[in-house]
């Protein structure tokens, strides 16, 4: 009976060591999974930052060219306004004279459709 008891004790101890080894393996697995998750998260964050930098660079290139276009359009507009103002100053007196001549120099005549009724 003592040998049976000793055999049972050995089995119980072996079962306990096996349970400890399984628990330790589970802990190692959990640590490895956690470490892998952290590494993946860091890699994802690095990739996201690289893509964000690339996006910012492309956006800056596009917006920069649009900024140049708006500046160019603004300069062209100012140039056209300047040309119109110069033309206005140059032709203002002549146009006013023509208008005044047409308004003030009346030549009264009877209209062709007017009939004198007697």
């Amino acid at each position: 009976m003592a040998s049976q008891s000793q055999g049972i004790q050995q089995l119980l101890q072996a079962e306990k060591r096996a349970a400890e080894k399984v628990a330790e393996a589970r802990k190692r697995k959990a640590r490895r999974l956690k470490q892998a998750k952290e590494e993946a998260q860091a890699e994802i964050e690095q990739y996201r930052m690289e893509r964000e930098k690339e996006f910012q660079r492309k956006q800056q290139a596009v917006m920069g060219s649009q900024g140049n276009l708006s500046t160019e359009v603004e300069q062209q507009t100012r140039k056209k306004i300047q040309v119109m103002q110069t033309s206005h100053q140059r032709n203002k007196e002549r146009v006013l004279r023509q208008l005044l001549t047409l308004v003030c120099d009346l030549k009264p005549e009877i209209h062709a459709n007017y009939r004198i009724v007697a």
Side-chain angles (χ1 to χ4, degrees), residues 86-101:
T86 304
S87 175
H88 172 263
Q89 290 297 325
R90 192 177 31 211
N91 297 321
K92 178 172 64 173
E93 289 295 323
R94 186 170 50 95
V95 171
L96 276 175
R97 253 185 280 121
Q98 285 178 347
L99 282 173
L100 287 173
T101 302

Side-chain angles (χ1 to χ4, degrees), residues 49-110:
M49 291 186 68
E50 288 173 8
R51 298 299 291 173
E52 182 67 25
K53 285 179 184 177
E54 180 72 17
F55 173 74
Q56 292 294 334
R57 188 182 60 76
K58 286 183 179 181
Q59 185 179 24
Q60 187 64 27
V62 169
M63 294 304 282
S65 66
Q66 285 180 353
N68 292 342
L69 288 177
S70 65
T71 304
E72 191 174 316
V73 168
E74 191 174 318
Q75 287 175 349
Q76 289 176 356
T77 304
R78 277 195 225 119
K79 193 173 187 179
K80 286 180 183 180
I81 289 172
Q82 184 65 35
V83 167
M84 283 191 269
Q85 286 176 341
T86 304
S87 175
H88 172 263
Q89 290 297 325
R90 192 177 31 211
N91 297 321
K92 178 172 64 173
E93 289 295 323
R94 186 170 50 95
V95 171
L96 276 175
R97 253 185 280 121
Q98 285 178 347
L99 282 173
L100 287 173
T101 302
L102 291 172
V103 170
C104 294
D105 290 346
L106 296 175
K107 297 177 185 169
E109 17 178 272
I110 297 176

Side-chain angles (χ1 to χ4, degrees), residues 10-59:
Q10 285 179 343
L11 284 174
L12 288 174
Q13 287 176 352
E15 186 178 329
K16 185 177 178 183
R17 284 192 307 262
E20 288 173 355
K21 285 185 178 185
V22 168
E24 184 62 34
R26 286 183 180 154
K27 287 179 185 177
R28 279 195 311 267
K29 182 179 177 183
R31 281 194 304 265
R32 281 196 316 260
L33 284 173
K34 185 177 179 182
Q35 181 182 3
K37 185 177 180 181
E38 289 172 354
E39 288 173 1
Q41 196 66 27
E43 192 174 320
I44 288 170
E45 188 62 31
Q46 180 182 1
Y47 178 75
R48 181 179 295 137
M49 291 186 68
E50 288 173 8
R51 298 299 291 173
E52 182 67 25
K53 285 179 184 177
E54 180 72 17
F55 173 74
Q56 292 294 334
R57 188 182 60 76
K58 286 183 179 181
Q59 185 179 24

